[in-house]
Amino acid sequence: MKRKVIIIGSGPAGYTAAIYASRAGLSPLMFAGLKHGGQLMDTGDVENFPGYRNPITGPELMEDIRLQAERFGTEISYKMIIKAKLDIYPFVLTDEDNQDWITDSVIISTGAEAKWLGIDSEKKYYGRGVSACATCDGFFFKNKKVVVIGGGDTACEEALYLSNICSKVIMLVRSDRMRASKIMYQRVINSTIDIKYNTQVIEFLGDDVLTGISTNQGNIVCDGAFIAIGHKPNTELFTNQLDIDDDGYITTMLGSTKTNIPGVFACGDVQDKIYRQAITAAGTGCMAALDVEKFLSQVKDV
Ligand code: NDP
């Protein structure tokens, strides 16, 4: 059966698009994938999502948003989309059972994943001192000593943010230079942040919670470690079909969620390398649903 709109991905962007699209009578079908909920499913307490005056865990927040989307009639499939044919119209998406789905519009909200160092102790201390998001978790390290791993713009931003909260911030840069833009680098230099070059993490140390890091330059005592070595947007399905920038993010037109293909819209972290917050993802999800509604009203025979 032909659908008016299919949403791929089930983070805050996808679910918000689903809420708006279902309330607009577009009967959206969402492919949530095997692991619904996106990056917030790996997050502890969320304290900065408006509307919750008490902390809520990432999984609880995503469950609330899912139920809200379903209340208005969003249909959710927990299958993966494995192929997208966007060069024909209507578009054809194929799920993991090789079933084809024909749709007049697509909202891509497949998100991004933080890159990890890939060492065992990283998993052990994740949520117990190790984090990949200073805006999300920095508050829990108020007046404490933290380390930021990475030397790009993200690492600089995270370190600068933390320097307003924590008693001490140290950046560990694996080579003898930072990759960050000049302006971000200058801001770090002008701050109280310590930079240790040629320093690579060997293991995270501690008991129940993180207490330090062993590096090739010796051990560092700290309460928190923020890994900021880049993100990987989930765009493999769309390579060679959509405009994708040098960092792998889907390019959207300024002030909208339109991609280079009319009828295909992108929202959330798959197209955002700057803000990357649940609330900004939700905001662009809302935009995507409104953009779809307008697009469908202009397409004949829908
Ligand atoms: P980048 O790829 O730019 O930087 C990654 C950093 O992490 C580099 O210093 C890299 O070191 C280091 N790194 C990578 N792997 C490891 C590892 N295994 N161990 C230790 N260190 C490692 O990623 P960003 O997320 O910082 O930025 C991505 C893009 O987003 C950039 O274009 C950036 O400008 C942009 N951005 C823009 C912002 C803004 O405009 N406000 C904010 C944040 C990002 P090495 O250099 O040795 O490879």
Side-chain angles (χ1 to χ4, degrees):
M1 195 178 80
K2 193 169 105 178
R3 310 295 301 221
K4 287 182 186 150
V5 55
I6 288 182
I7 300 167
I8 313 173
S10 56
Y15 277 131
T16 305
I19 291 166
Y20 275 77
S22 49
R23 290 188 82 244
L26 299 177
S27 311
L29 169 62
M30 169 187 276
F31 281 89
L34 292 175
K35 187 188 155 209
H36 97 102
Q39 294 175 79
L40 277 183
M41 298 304 277
D42 299 322
T43 309
D45 282 348
V46 178
E47 294 184 326
N48 54 7
F49 201 89
Y52 292 91
R53 75 173 121 158
N54 296 314
I56 181 164
T57 67
E60 283 170 338
L61 176 59
M62 292 320 300
E63 182 67 358
D64 276 356
I65 306 182
R66 181 179 70 81
L67 292 171
Q68 190 178 359
E70 283 186 323
R71 184 157 79 89
F72 297 112
T74 299
E75 197 184 323
I76 301 177
S77 162
Y78 291 92
K79 290 182 183 158
M80 300 286 287
I81 290 295
I82 57 162
K83 202 158 90 188
K85 263 192 95 44
L86 306 178
D87 56 348
I88 51 171
Y89 193 83
F91 309 111
V92 181
L93 306 178
T94 309
D95 72 21
E96 63 191 52
D97 293 336
N98 275 321
Q99 180 171 352
D100 286 341
W101 298 87
I102 298 167
T103 182
D104 293 315
S105 65
V106 178
I107 295 178
I108 299 170
S109 50
T110 44
E113 290 164 26
K115 288 188 194 160
W116 296 94
L117 296 169
I119 52 180
D120 285 345
S121 52
E122 181 176 53
K123 286 190 206 107
K124 180 173 175 195
Y125 292 109
Y126 179 68
R128 295 159 179 242
V130 172
S131 166
C133 177
T135 328
C136 319
D137 298 329
F139 184 76
F140 302 117
F141 297 91
K142 200 172 178 187
N143 297 324
K144 296 194 169 169
K145 184 176 169 185
V146 299
V147 163
V148 175
I149 297 136
D153 279 341
T154 302
C156 291
E157 259 192 3
E158 302 269 279
L160 287 163
Y161 179 84
L162 291 165
S163 68
N164 292 320
I165 300 171
C166 304
S167 58
K168 181 82 208 151
V169 180
I170 302 170
M171 285 180 80
L172 304 187
V173 180
R174 68 175 170 181
S175 68
D176 60 357
R177 55 172 284 276
M178 289 235 211
R179 189 194 286 256
S181 54
K182 206 168 175 183
I183 185 165
M184 293 302 282
Y185 171 72
Q186 209 53 52
R187 280 187 198 152
V188 169
I189 292 293
N190 293 340
S191 75
T192 56
I193 298 164
D194 266 2
I195 308 170
K196 290 190 189 297
Y197 290 100
N198 299 308
T199 306
Q200 291 189 37
V201 175
I202 296 171
E203 288 297 349
F204 294 104
L205 309 171
D207 299 316
D208 266 3
V209 294
L210 183 82
T211 55
I213 302 178
S214 79
T215 77
N216 60 330
Q217 307 276 14
N219 289 1
I220 299 170
V221 174
C222 64
D223 305 292
F226 289 83
I227 298 166
I229 61 172
H231 284 77
K232 188 182 162 298
N234 299 316
T235 52
E236 292 84 358
L237 271 179
F238 316 109
T239 320
N240 300 326
Q241 299 195 77
L242 291 179
D243 285 349
I244 288 177
D245 74 12
D246 291 344
D247 296 313
Y249 291 82
I250 294 176
T251 306
T252 48
M253 289 174 203
L254 192 64
S256 92
T257 60
K258 290 178 190 169
T259 68
N260 58 304
I261 299 181
V264 179
F265 303 85
C267 54
D269 284 13
V270 75
Q271 53 84 57
D272 171 21
K273 63 183 168 198
I274 296 175
Y275 302 104
R276 295 191 190 121
Q277 300 300 301
I279 190 64
T280 49
T284 56
C286 160
M287 287 166 66
L290 298 180
D291 286 344
V292 160
E293 208 182 335
K294 190 165 177 197
F295 169 81
L296 293 177
S297 71
Q298 290 166 350
V299 176
K300 284 184 187 152
D301 304 325
V302 167

